[in-house]
Amino acid sequence: MPGPREVRVYLTPALIPEGVLAGGIAVVIDVLRATTTMLAALAAGAKAIIPCGSIDEAKALGGDGILLAGERGGRAIPGFHLGNSPAEFTSSICKNKTIITTTTNGTAAILACRSAERVLVGAFVNFSAVCEQLSADARPVHIVCAGTNGQPTLDDTLFAGAVVDFLSSTFDVHLNDSARLAWDCFENHGQILMAALEISAGGEALMNIGLGDDLKFAATIDKFALTAAVTYDPPRIQLAGAGIKRRHWQHS
């Protein structure tokens, strides 16, 4: 009989051991705000999103019919079409467009997962869709939190814990210590999600620059019933599925 399913959380990309993602399915998280915004763009009809590690790389890939998006320090990059606020990414702007994006933390986390066999983009806005993809896939699960400037963040850890909670109620699992820490975080903060985002360092930073509405968007469980997957060489994020069987959030 097969043993317990491996479920591992990495609180920042720097904590991923070399080679460990090979053969597994990774879920990349940057709740505030990169992955939330990417999912909003795909839900609005974007054709694809290309994550870049630097502003110069993003500019070099730009051109006619391509939207440049992203932020540094939470603020929109001068000269880019869009920032990193999910509500900006409407159908009238995004439909059938390719979006090139670079962010302080999220795009780097995505680029750090290229050795995984499959990579999904996760946030609270597509929580149940991510859960259903993981429940249908027998591979080891690696949940990668973007963090902020090399430090773990409450918002990403909370999402990771919610996924661990779901998987632990569905499978016999073997968790690393970071997965247990994230699970504890979810047990303590899952019922007060919006308040947890507000007290997080990232949430406070966004509110301080007038972007508090982004927290409300990021805290909307299952706003989108869609799955987004990453392919590499070159990196590209696209819609990989739509629809969910039911909601899997455990807190009202």
Side-chain angles (χ1 to χ4, degrees):
M1 293 180 64
R5 187 175 183 185
E6 288 291 333
V7 177
R8 300 179 183 179
V9 170
Y10 311 101
L11 299 178
T12 72
L15 296 174
I16 304 172
E18 185 174 354
V20 75
L21 301 184
I25 179 169
V27 181
V28 185
I29 314 155
D30 186 1
V31 170
L32 298 177
R33 296 163 291 164
T35 57
T36 298
T37 298
M38 290 171 183
L39 293 162
L42 292 171
K47 183 166 57 176
I49 300 167
I50 299 172
C52 294
S54 72
I55 294 172
D56 287 344
E57 182 187 359
K59 288 180 176 178
L61 292 173
D64 291 342
I66 299 225
L67 297 175
L68 293 178
E71 55 75 34
R72 286 296 183 271
R75 299 181 185 274
I77 298 168
F80 278 30
H81 302 100
L82 296 160
N84 193 37
S85 291
E88 292 182 85
F89 291 73
T90 62
S91 180
S92 61
I93 293 172
C94 296
K95 192 170 181 62
N96 296 322
K97 295 288 181 64
T98 295
I99 300 171
I100 296 175
T101 185
T102 179
T103 68
T104 306
N105 304 290
T107 51
I110 288 169
L111 296 173
C113 292
R114 65 170 60 247
S115 63
E117 200 163 275
R118 190 180 186 207
V119 180
L120 302 178
V121 173
F124 292 111
V125 293
N126 76 331
F127 174 75
S128 292
V130 168
C131 289
E132 290 186 357
Q133 288 292 312
L134 295 178
S135 67
D137 193 312
R139 287 172 284 198
V141 176
H142 303 278
I143 306 169
V144 179
C145 303
T148 297
N149 298 325
Q151 298 297 313
T153 57
L154 176 58
D155 48 295
D156 293 345
T157 304
L158 179 52
F159 179 88
V163 175
V164 171
D165 184 74
F166 167 77
L167 292 172
S168 297
S169 68
T170 307
F171 300 99
D172 179 20
V173 296
H174 180 263
L175 307 177
N176 68 349
D177 282 0
S178 291
R180 294 189 179 279
L181 290 169
W183 196 5
D184 285 348
C185 178
F186 175 68
E187 288 298 311
N188 282 294
H189 295 90
Q191 295 185 59
I192 53 167
L193 178 57
M194 183 62 192
L197 296 188
E198 289 175 341
I199 64 171
S200 70
E204 287 185 349
L206 289 171
M207 288 188 290
N208 286 339
I209 59 175
L211 296 173
D213 284 347
D214 288 356
L215 306 187
K216 298 174 186 176
F217 196 110
T220 308
I221 307 297
D222 293 338
K223 185 176 181 67
F224 308 124
L226 60 83
T227 306
V230 189
T231 55
Y232 293 90
D233 301 319
R236 190 177 181 89
I237 302 161
Q238 291 180 286
L239 190 66
I244 58 173
K245 294 177 182 177
R246 63 182 181 87
R247 286 168 57 91
H248 298 283
W249 186 251
Q250 296 298 313
H251 289 302
S252 58

